[in-house]
Amino acid sequence: MALFTFDALSSPLTYFYDRYECWDCKIGHCELQPQLVHTPSQRSLAASDHSSFSDYASEASSVEQRNRSVQYETPPSRAHSPIATKTADSEMTLPSRPVTAYPAPLNVRRSQAPQTRIRISDLYRDIHNISPPTPGVDETPYIRFAIEQLTRDEELMGRARQGSDSSLDYPGERGISDEGLGYNAALTPQKPAARRPRRPRMPIEEVSRQVVDDIYITADPPEHPQFPQLGYLPPLLRLPLLLLFICVCLLMIAALIFCNVYCLQNNGLYDYDGTGTARYFIFQFMPQLLGIIVIFWIFVLQAAVYRIIPFASMATRRSQDRVLQDMSIHPANFLLPDLRHFQSGEPVVGMCLLVFWISYITVPLLSSMFQTGLFEINGLQRWRWTSVQVVVWILVALYALLIAATVLIVLRFRRRESALMWDPVSLADLIMLFQKSNIVTDLDGSEISESIRAHIPPRPLRLGYWTTSRTAEIFHTIGEENAPLRRLSRGQNASNGKHMEGYDSPNIDIEQQRYSHAESFNRNIHSPFFRYRWTPRFLRDSAVVAWIVAALTLYLAFLIVSFVNSAVERGFPPGGVRTVTNPHGFSPSNFLFSFLPSLLGMVLLLAWQPIDTYFRAIQPFANLSSSLDGASAKDSLLLSYPACYPLQTTFVALQNHDYKVSWISLVSVLSATIPVLAGGIFTAQFFNQSEVRIAATMPAYYALCVFLGVYAFSFLVVWSKRKRYLPHAISTLADYLSFLYVSPLLADPVFVGVRSKEELRERLVGRGGAGKKRRRIEVRGEAGEERFVFGVYVGRDGREHLGIDRLHRGVIEPRTGEAGRGGRI
């Protein structure tokens, strides 16, 4: 039995209907078709404040006795006026009969009669005509509110009944399902109207977002100091330094061509005067030393390209849909070429990076470009230094290709389309870029996802100045054009509806499914399995053990082979490889024992660069997780090791007491000596005036042994502790944003209205005697600088999340769940 009563401030109108049983005949599912009627209320106005059960029983009992001898009547076509007489106030209990008292029977007639259609708008008009019990009180708002509440459940679940035709355009005239009662249709038999096709429903919260939230619109701010000019580029990507790099490559090409031409016209360059001399150093070590400087310039140049190209791509109208989750902001073009930019819509950058990777071969080629040959001059035969013609022309082609790639970079960034205010090199810079973004809700629950790429839908994004459809404020952020500001409401589920299977199925309890997802998310962010899931494959425990064993074993074998019985000093046979130099300066044995050692040294150098890149990038998170007291902004949010130059990283990390980063960065520079030394040590020499052996220059060989030892034993340092483990990788902007998207730091006043990098640093760490005062907080009972942590915290949506926040916000340590401990592991 279903009962629909409507009583708004003792309204004289009362509506009843019974879907299943006729109260008068006591026969279930009789032929009676109940209809909407208006009956005068039998309740006393004075009794409205009493218990509803008492009033209901009193009214039902009196009405039942009065209606026993009354014939059914056709309901009137409009609402009756209130009765003149009011019944006396009476208190009584439920009737003492075995069955529950029933309400008054419906005043309907079994025979069909002409009836009129009743519209909900007519009811509102009739209600206005009815004299209210209390003068001056309008009942319409209460009626609207009741109808809204009674029909709201269907809209929330998106599963209206088959006969309903609800509209989401309320207020106004609203169609409400009559469930077959007939008050929305004529009472006379009619042909049923064709049912309109049902459109897919969405939760009320989604509808409210589309109606209420602001729409993001691109803006062109006026020329004012409040709106800095966009288009910042790092110095390495600006025209002066790029032209300087082109000039260096041109000088290399000019020197190479001069050597080749001069050797052909003058029977070599200089006379050979033995090993260990200054002339030997110039011809055997200087070329690859100059080449390695160019390689390190390429390292820092491509690091700047990696860091800027995602923002430059979002600054143009041709932005791709997956810039945020596909484009890496850390260099990855070392041992293997990185071809991802071809798929990300940046073929020019992809081509440049491919050329940079090919240019690594220049160092082994430079180490083998000069050989010794026997020339006849004035009737005398002399050993002279000469250039290898084919190797030199290959080097000329490679440096010309490198110049072409640099020109492409100049053309790509000629208009300064980065849309940046300054170089985004730290976590604080990323907070500035995303603090007002309308895409952060796409990352809900992504902090524990193993792959952020699969979590975020593709969206064309733009970086620049924005305004909204409802405000005149102009701000700088990354957002989606013509899209609403999707706010994270308090208590929002951990998983968006788009990630739930079977969302449209009527057989699945969506609320229960959402609760299950939220419960699973809350459990996973406290799980050590998810918290310490990711580190690069080459730095996992098993990989590091393999690195250490292999490096130390090979180094020990290298020393044994080199110094037992003075094998290197006495020389070794070339192994059947010809040692004679042809007229073009090419000697197979000299080329082999110069090119191959240098190539192996380049492999060692390139293998160390990803290790250095990882430790630079992960250090802010390591500082945030290393102790229960957190880390200061200077040691966490403002760290910018990935943007530092090689030796600069060493000294800055040493000053910040990040000794592991300092040492690993130093090794990345020292390892460059391995291909330089290895490429010039071995030469073919005569022993006993008839035997040709491959001998080494011992001073250089001793130095090579030292640097190889430093390289091998440095693998003992790269062992990552748990504080450097994260739930997922940190190579793209989306990876970083997953730890910040709901952090209160995005709404922190410190990051509001910042117009320069100096102002941001001043706000976070202060500056003695100038600027704003440092904000002080209490950390474990002692006054100190503001501290930031990486751990479980309460986000802006009122739920627990894993990421970065201030220490005093009550961050929870993942393993113990202890609040206020800073989340350090």
Side-chain angles (χ1 to χ4, degrees):
M1 184 190 327
L3 175 64
F4 179 92
T5 63
F6 193 75
D7 190 6
L9 291 183
S10 302
S11 173
L13 294 180
T14 305
Y15 309 104
F16 296 92
Y17 75 88
D18 185 352
R19 190 185 306 179
Y20 304 107
E21 183 175 359
C22 176
W23 286 330
D24 186 76
C25 61
K26 306 297 185 299
I27 300 176
H29 302 283
C30 65
E31 298 298 330
L32 172 63
Q33 176 67 25
Q35 303 292 341
L36 177 72
V37 298
H38 302 262
T39 60
S41 175
Q42 304 300 323
R43 297 176 54 185
S44 172
L45 293 176
S48 60
D49 295 332
H50 293 285
S51 170
S52 60
F53 278 108
S54 178
D55 293 343
Y56 172 78
S58 175
E59 184 176 342
S61 177
S62 60
V63 173
E64 182 179 348
Q65 294 178 2
R66 187 173 60 252
N67 284 306
R68 287 177 180 175
S69 59
V70 179
Q71 292 292 331
Y72 294 105
E73 301 174 356
T74 302
S77 59
R78 66 177 185 88
H80 290 284
S81 300
I83 58 177
T85 60
K86 294 181 175 63
T87 58
D89 185 15
S90 62
E91 288 282 349
M92 63 174 296
T93 60
L94 293 175
S96 57
R97 52 186 298 182
V99 295
T100 306
Y102 292 90
L106 297 174
N107 295 330
V108 296
R109 189 181 297 271
R110 297 182 184 273
S111 59
Q112 298 291 338
Q115 299 170 350
T116 59
R117 180 185 180 92
I118 300 176
R119 296 174 56 86
I120 195 70
S121 58
D122 297 335
L123 294 178
Y124 291 153
R125 184 173 61 253
D126 293 338
I127 290 171
H128 280 291
N129 296 331
I130 297 174
S131 299
T134 304
V137 177
D138 187 6
E139 298 176 356
T140 304
Y142 305 101
I143 296 175
R144 289 178 179 269
F145 175 77
I147 295 175
E148 175 71 23
Q149 296 302 314
L150 290 170
T151 59
R152 182 172 180 270
D153 291 340
E154 292 181 357
E155 295 172 352
L156 280 174
M157 301 301 294
R159 289 179 289 150
R161 297 181 178 90
Q162 294 293 331
S164 65
D165 185 24
S166 301
S167 173
L168 294 177
D169 298 330
Y170 188 77
E173 291 193 9
R174 179 174 182 172
I176 302 176
S177 174
D178 59 2
E179 300 297 337
L181 293 179
Y183 63 78
N184 261 349
L187 298 181
T188 55
Q190 296 179 4
K191 181 179 180 180
R195 183 177 299 167
R196 291 188 297 178
R198 297 177 60 195
R199 57 183 179 183
R201 296 181 177 271
M202 62 179 69
I204 286 294
E205 57 188 14
E206 297 292 339
V207 178
S208 63
R209 284 183 189 148
Q210 296 182 5
V211 175
V212 177
D213 288 343
D214 297 343
I215 302 299
Y216 271 40
I217 305 172
T218 58
D220 294 324
E223 295 184 1
H224 192 274
Q226 184 181 359
F227 305 105
Q229 188 70 26
L230 302 181
Y232 176 88
L233 288 177
L236 285 168
L237 296 181
R238 298 176 187 174
L239 186 60
L241 284 183
L242 289 176
L243 290 179
L244 180 60
F245 181 72
I246 292 175
C247 290
V248 170
C249 295
L250 287 174
L251 289 176
M252 293 289 291
I253 291 176
L256 291 169
I257 294 176
F258 171 80
C259 291
N260 255 11
V261 174
Y262 188 88
C263 288
L264 290 176
Q265 296 177 356
N266 298 278
N267 295 325
L269 293 171
Y270 286 97
D271 292 341
Y272 175 76
D273 58 353
T275 61
T277 63
R279 193 171 294 177
Y280 184 90
F281 174 81
I282 291 175
F283 286 105
Q284 288 294 93
F285 298 108
M286 183 64 73
Q288 58 263 37
L289 183 60
L290 295 176
I292 208 68
I293 294 175
V294 176
I295 294 300
F296 271 91
W297 198 328
I298 291 175
F299 284 169
V300 295
L301 178 59
Q302 70 180 6
V305 171
Y306 270 94
R307 190 170 65 252
I308 298 299
I309 194 60
F311 303 102
S313 180
M314 289 186 288
T316 59
R317 294 288 182 180
R318 52 186 176 85
S319 174
Q320 301 299 312
D321 293 344
R322 290 190 172 273
V323 174
L324 205 66
Q325 57 268 46
D326 282 357
M327 286 192 181
S328 175
I329 61 175
H330 298 307
N333 196 41
F334 298 115
L335 272 180
L336 298 176
D338 186 6
L339 305 177
R340 289 176 294 180
H341 289 84
F342 289 103
Q343 302 175 352
S344 301
E346 290 289 344
V348 173
V349 175
M351 183 62 67
C352 294
L353 294 178
L354 182 60
V355 172
F356 289 161
W357 182 80
I358 296 174
S359 65
Y360 297 155
I361 200 67
T362 57
V363 174
L365 289 175
L366 285 169
S367 66
S368 60
M369 67 172 290
F370 292 113
Q371 305 294 340
T372 57
L374 188 61
F375 293 91
E376 183 177 352
I377 301 176
N378 298 326
L380 299 176
Q381 291 186 340
R382 298 180 182 179
W383 289 98
R384 293 174 62 86
W385 290 104
T386 184
S387 62
V388 182
Q389 296 289 315
V390 61
V391 173
V392 170
W393 292 120
I394 291 176
L395 285 169
V396 170
L398 289 176
Y399 279 108
L401 197 60
L402 191 57
I403 291 175
T406 309
V407 171
L408 289 178
I409 291 181
V410 172
L411 296 176
R412 176 62 182 86
F413 295 103
R414 71 187 185 280
R415 297 180 181 177
R416 292 198 173 190
E417 295 178 339
S418 68
L420 291 168
M421 293 184 182
W422 60 78
D423 199 353
V425 297
S426 64
L427 291 171
D429 300 326
L430 296 182
I431 293 174
M432 286 295 305
L433 290 174
F434 287 98
Q435 62 176 336
K436 291 188 177 182
S437 177
N438 62 345
I439 62 171
V440 293
T441 55
D442 290 340
L443 290 102
D444 192 19
S446 62
E447 57 263 45
I448 60 173
S449 297
E450 189 171 5
S451 175
I452 303 299
R453 187 181 189 276
H455 193 93
I456 305 176
R459 295 183 185 277
L461 304 179
R462 178 185 175 273
L463 171 61
Y465 283 115
W466 297 86
T467 186
T468 64
S469 58
R470 300 184 60 191
T471 64
E473 179 188 7
I474 298 178
F475 50 90
H476 181 255
T477 190
I478 295 174
E480 182 183 3
E481 191 173 359
N482 298 325
L485 174 60
R486 306 174 184 91
R487 296 183 176 90
L488 281 170
S489 60
R490 295 184 64 85
Q492 185 172 338
N493 296 311
S495 295
N496 295 332
K498 60 179 175 292
H499 300 300
M500 290 188 291
E501 297 180 1
Y503 180 78
D504 295 328
S505 175
N507 298 324
I508 295 180
D509 192 337
I510 300 175
E511 293 299 330
Q512 181 65 29
Q513 191 177 24
R514 289 180 177 176
Y515 176 78
S516 176
H517 279 77
E519 185 181 19
S520 175
F521 174 79
N522 293 334
R523 182 171 59 253
N524 291 340
I525 62 174
H526 291 276
S527 170
F529 173 78
F530 289 93
R531 169 61 181 85
Y532 307 106
R533 176 171 53 191
W534 178 84
T535 194
R537 293 183 179 179
F538 55 85
L539 289 179
R540 294 177 182 175
D541 292 344
S542 57
V544 173
V545 171
W547 281 110
I548 294 174
V549 172
L552 296 181
T553 302
L554 291 175
Y555 180 66
L556 181 61
F558 174 79
L559 294 179
I560 293 174
V561 172
S562 299
F563 295 102
V564 170
N565 299 324
S566 301
V568 174
E569 187 175 3
R570 294 181 178 180
F572 53 89
V577 182
R578 292 183 58 189
T579 59
V580 178
T581 304
N582 64 17
H584 299 287
F586 181 77
S587 172
S589 61
N590 283 333
F591 177 83
L592 177 64
F593 290 103
S594 295
F595 180 84
L596 186 59
S598 183
L599 180 62
L600 294 177
M602 279 300 297
V603 171
L604 295 181
L605 171 63
L606 296 175
W608 192 265
Q609 300 310 308
I611 300 176
D612 182 32
T613 301
Y614 165 76
F615 276 92
R616 290 195 198 188
I618 204 66
Q619 190 58 38
F621 294 92
N623 290 344
L624 290 167
S625 305
S626 60
S627 71
L628 298 179
D629 293 337
S632 64
K634 174 177 171 292
D635 296 330
S636 57
L637 299 186
L638 293 174
L639 278 185
S640 57
Y641 292 147
C644 293
Y645 301 120
L647 288 178
Q648 180 188 8
T649 306
T650 301
F651 293 108
V652 172
L654 188 63
Q655 184 180 4
N656 294 335
H657 306 289
D658 295 329
Y659 302 114
K660 180 174 286 191
V661 176
S662 178
W663 176 255
I664 291 175
S665 178
L666 179 62
V667 173
S668 70
V669 178
L670 295 179
S671 59
T673 61
I674 298 176
V676 173
L677 293 173
I681 287 178
F682 298 103
T683 56
Q685 299 179 15
F686 279 103
F687 284 78
N688 300 326
Q689 297 182 353
S690 59
E691 184 181 5
V692 178
R693 286 175 172 266
I694 304 298
T697 304
M698 294 311 296
Y701 197 83
Y702 293 146
L704 177 62
C705 292
V706 172
F707 288 116
L708 283 175
V710 171
Y711 186 92
F713 282 97
S714 294
F715 281 101
L716 296 173
V717 182
V718 303
W719 203 308
S720 296
K721 295 183 180 179
R722 290 168 66 88
K723 65 181 182 181
R724 286 185 170 85
Y725 279 65
L726 291 174
H728 54 73
I730 50 169
S731 60
T732 65
L733 290 173
D735 295 333
Y736 279 91
L737 186 57
S738 66
F739 299 126
L740 294 167
Y741 71 96
V742 77
S743 172
L745 292 176
L746 290 181
D748 198 296
V750 172
F751 298 96
V752 177
V754 179
R755 298 304 175 186
S756 67
K757 185 62 176 288
E758 292 74 17
E759 182 182 356
L760 177 61
R761 178 179 293 275
E762 183 180 338
R763 289 192 183 190
L764 287 172
V765 300
R767 187 171 57 186
K772 300 184 179 181
K773 294 182 178 180
R774 286 189 182 184
R775 302 198 315 176
R776 300 274 180 173
I777 62 169
E778 294 294 326
V779 180
R780 301 184 69 178
E782 299 178 359
E785 291 182 342
E786 286 185 304
R787 315 293 287 183
F788 301 87
V789 291
F790 182 85
V792 179
Y793 65 94
V794 178
R796 291 180 295 163
D797 58 352
R799 296 187 293 112
E800 290 183 348
H801 290 270
L802 181 63
I804 304 171
D805 193 16
R806 295 186 186 272
L807 178 63
H808 69 279
R809 296 187 191 277
V811 179
I812 302 171
E813 208 278 343
R815 288 186 296 176
T816 62
E818 190 173 346
R821 296 293 301 278
R824 291 303 189 90
I825 295 90

